[in-house]
Amino acid sequence: MPLPIRILTVVPEEILRAGIRAIIESAEGLQIIGEAENESAGLRLFRKLQPDVAIVALRFGQACALDLIPEFVNGSGNSRIIVLAGHSGDAEISKALKLGAAGFICYDTSADELTAALRSVAAGRHFITDRVAQTLGESIGKEQLTRTETNILGMIVGGMSNKEIAFALDISENTVKSHLKNIFNKLGVSDRVTAVTTAIRRGLVRVDL
């Protein structure tokens, strides 16, 4: 009889951990070996237990798992990471996968999808749900923002004016306006408000919740 797939959950919400635990405990060949409610405890358990798969929440208050994925991956041995998100933008999904996550699922993932994700990832494959795949598919062909444009977009989301952005970056207001024009064109928007909502929806900038 094959050994069960050993799973660690690193999820801040108790009700989510309980739901995941119930699904895993009712599935054949899956086993919860540890649970953590914050990133520091999660990393300690991860390094100690070396699970086959770790389910890691995208957000822990103001912290974001995107910053943690390299730490998990670099100390993982053969462990694999699945990111769990309440909602997902294409930029967050792409970055998570580029950083080494083997899967990306959302809170509304079904029990069948969750168990399929765990088994696929434990077997060395990647897994994203149909909803996540659709989100990624909608971003295909969209021009990517440069690092400077992403930085400026973050400042816009933070409520900074063109003058404040120019001062912060030591550039002219005309240069800021030029960058904004490029940002609006790439996002397919025509004003700052729509740029902000689009940036947040797609996960192009970090927003503390």
Side-chain angles (χ1 to χ4, degrees):
M1 184 175 180
L3 294 174
I5 297 169
R6 302 163 61 254
I7 301 156
L8 169 70
T9 60
V10 187
V11 179
E13 297 89 348
E14 183 178 354
I15 193 168
L16 272 175
R17 292 198 306 276
I20 294 170
R21 186 190 319 122
I23 292 170
I24 290 172
E25 288 178 344
S26 66
E28 184 178 352
L30 303 179
Q31 177 187 11
I32 286 277
I33 61 168
E35 295 177 306
E37 63 181 19
N38 60 63
E39 65 275 25
S40 57
L43 277 168
R44 286 197 301 270
L45 277 179
F46 183 81
R47 291 163 178 158
K48 177 182 178 181
L49 300 176
Q50 292 289 291
D52 298 311
V53 182
I55 300 174
V56 182
L58 179 64
R59 289 194 175 275
F60 299 86
Q62 294 185 359
C64 181
L66 294 180
D67 300 324
L68 303 174
I69 290 174
E71 293 190 60
F72 278 100
V73 171
N74 292 337
S76 67
N78 294 320
S79 300
R80 309 264 282 167
I81 310 299
I82 294 176
V83 174
L84 172 68
H87 59 83
S88 55
D90 61 277
E92 290 174 322
I93 299 166
S94 297
K95 186 172 182 179
L97 297 176
K98 287 177 181 176
L99 287 172
F104 200 109
I105 60 177
C106 296
Y107 287 3
D108 62 356
T109 295
S110 68
D112 287 343
E113 282 182 318
L114 175 59
T115 55
L118 290 166
R119 292 190 172 102
S120 293
V121 167
R125 298 186 294 270
H126 284 74
F127 185 98
I128 58 175
T129 62
D130 290 342
R131 175 184 169 188
V132 171
Q134 180 180 355
T135 300
L136 283 176
E138 291 170 354
S139 71
I140 293 175
K142 292 181 180 177
E143 194 173 356
Q144 300 298 307
L145 299 178
T146 66
R147 180 172 297 182
T148 298
E149 289 166 351
T150 300
N151 191 18
I152 291 174
L153 184 57
M155 293 179 178
I156 294 173
V157 172
M160 293 176 67
S161 66
N162 288 359
K163 184 176 182 179
E164 290 170 327
I165 293 172
F167 179 80
L169 298 180
D170 194 23
I171 57 178
S172 70
E173 286 191 59
N174 284 335
T175 301
V176 173
K177 291 177 182 178
S178 178
H179 282 305
L180 288 177
K181 181 179 179 180
N182 290 335
I183 291 168
F184 291 174
N185 286 337
K186 289 181 179 181
L187 296 183
V189 303
S190 58
D191 58 80
R192 294 169 76 101
V193 173
T194 311
V196 167
T197 57
T198 300
I200 293 172
R201 175 177 55 81
R202 291 185 56 192
L204 292 167
V205 296
R206 188 74 52 81
V207 180
D208 293 338
L209 299 177

